[in-house]
Amino acid sequence: MSTANDTAALKTSVNDYLNLLSGAIRLASSSLSEWLSLVVLLTLFLTGLGSPAQTIELSVDTSKPGPTINRNLFGQFAEHLGHGIYGGIWVGPNSNIPNTRGIRNDVVTALKALKVPNVRWPGGCFADEYHWRNGIGPADKRAVTLNPNWGGVIEPNTFGTHEFMDFLDQIGADAYVSINVGSGTVKEAADWLEYMTAAQPTTLQKERAANGHPDAWKVGYLGLGNESWDCGGNMSPDYYVSQMKKFSRFVRNYNPAQQDKDQMLKIAVGPGGDGPRWTEWTDTVMKAYQQHTWSWDINGLSMHFYTVPHWPPSLKSVGFGEDDYAQILKTTLEMNDLIATHSAIMDKYDPQKKVALFVDEWGGWYAPLPGSNPGFLVQQNSLRDAILAALNLDIFARHADRVRGANIAQMINVLQSMILTDNKKMVLTPTYYVFKMYVPFQDATFVPVTFNAGTYTHGGITLPRVDAIAAKDKAGKLWLAITNIDPDQPVEIDASVVGGSVKSATGETLTAPKVDSVNTFDAPDAVVPKPISANLEGDKLTLKLQPKSVTVVGIE
Ligand code: AHR
């Protein structure tokens, strides 16, 4: 929302600058020191550090609670791709990198702090060529295969079902398993689920026990294929539906603890972008859902949307300027309309919103880092990505009635990751810190917040200057997340709470000197959150937000 007040505030600010500058120029005519003042003032003008903060009135209305912000909106995605699994999670039990049964301890510790709700695995495109039997049994007897999707490298299959489930146990997350619909059979997938979930002494249960895990595993989410319109088999919507019904019917979860409650959710392949091809896809799957019988069902529809202004991804992940910054954030905000478009189609066939929208691949996708294997999708992760992540999480929260799952792509070393590793070294990315700061929003109740967003304009692109969401956690504490997109101008937030009083607000803010500031192995703390607290002025909390920052505060 942008109003006349905003425009007036913007004009006042510009006038302030002009007055400041003309004063400085008058002074500068007499001496060297005054010339220096001019240089300093010009620098402050250009960087925005010396600018008066724009004031934004923000009101949180606790009397109108909205839907639950499902914790699954903070899901992760780990594909057999580059060093996402091998090197990133799995180093093997004999590695000199500290590990527990082959899984890196440093990565597990970092991920535990994110309270990761679920991990989608084994792909991506990899999933539709994955044959689960290659990944069970003694490690030295496992088939060595290839990974044609991602660099054509050797797939050792040393990380398979048991290792994945062990990893989930170690970080405390649920399994989101994508089955092979593209090149596998219904029987292969049905056997895999029986292998993972059967408690009765079937042959497959006994095989699992012999491989070290007698107890049935929980499989919370089942992906019925991946991008079946493209790398998953290039199917038409009708053909996909006819295939999907069989997988939905016969691929069963036998875990006794998941029969009445905690049932496995089946996620069908959904759209992959904007335009008629994708609306037709959603329409076809949802129409079939509306007509479904007792014999098959779906509980979710997947949606993939990467922030890429033009394919193939060519923008840089580090060493870019404000042009790219504005362009990428403009593109990422398209997520909102895409969700709205596909939610509207879903509403037509499922007005009760039984089928969740799972945005199970999202994030910024840039050019591969120079010198890296282009098939490994290696990119840096900057302050811009932290802001991108916050904006998307806010969009998901605002659509929380329909969007009940999302998985950022991808967890480690691939695309917009949480963590980068290089052999023994590990660094946490700016995106990691946003996920950490947003933990209080997991399963919290959405609370409406109204504010005048203002505008930020660069190179013909105009974006809202500020974004914000609020939520109440299970203990009744109110949380506010605010992003200041503007890379130059600080913002002052005057926050009030309708239906409650405010005493204090404390939390963390994430910013850095430049939009492309990154954490590296040598400088891991360039972009890390810092404490922030609000001042109480009358019945309002006043928060000063730095340019290009993400802030989360808990309100008492
Ligand atoms: O995340 C990388 C790839 O992007 C996934 O394998 C695929 O599903 C998508 O196209």
Side-chain angles (χ1 to χ4, degrees), residues 135-157:
I136 59 164
D140 58 348
K141 302 256 173 352
R142 293 194 192 172
V144 173
T145 54
L146 291 169
N147 190 337
N149 282 294
W150 305 118
V153 294
I154 290 279
E155 167 57 57
N157 284 301

Side-chain angles (χ1 to χ4, degrees), residues 77 79 81 124-125 150 226-227 304 306 361 365 377 409-410 415:
F77 171 35
E79 178 165 14
L81 194 175
C125 298
W150 305 118
N226 171 76
E227 299 192 353
H304 291 180
Y306 284 98
E361 285 188 31
W365 190 330
L377 311 186
Q410 299 193 3
L415 299 177

Side-chain angles (χ1 to χ4, degrees), residues 56 58 390 394 437-438 441 449 451 465-469 480-485 491 493 495 508-510 543 545 549-553:
I56 288 188
L58 181 149
D394 291 356
M437 289 160 69
Y438 270 68
F441 288 88
V449 45
F451 56 99
R465 170 175 291 153
V466 164
D467 193 26
I469 57 161
L480 183 62
I482 316 169
T483 298
N484 179 9
I485 289 180
V491 164
I493 302 287
E508 290 186 315
T509 190
L510 185 73
L543 261 178
L545 304 182
S549 61
V550 179
T551 303
V552 174
V553 288

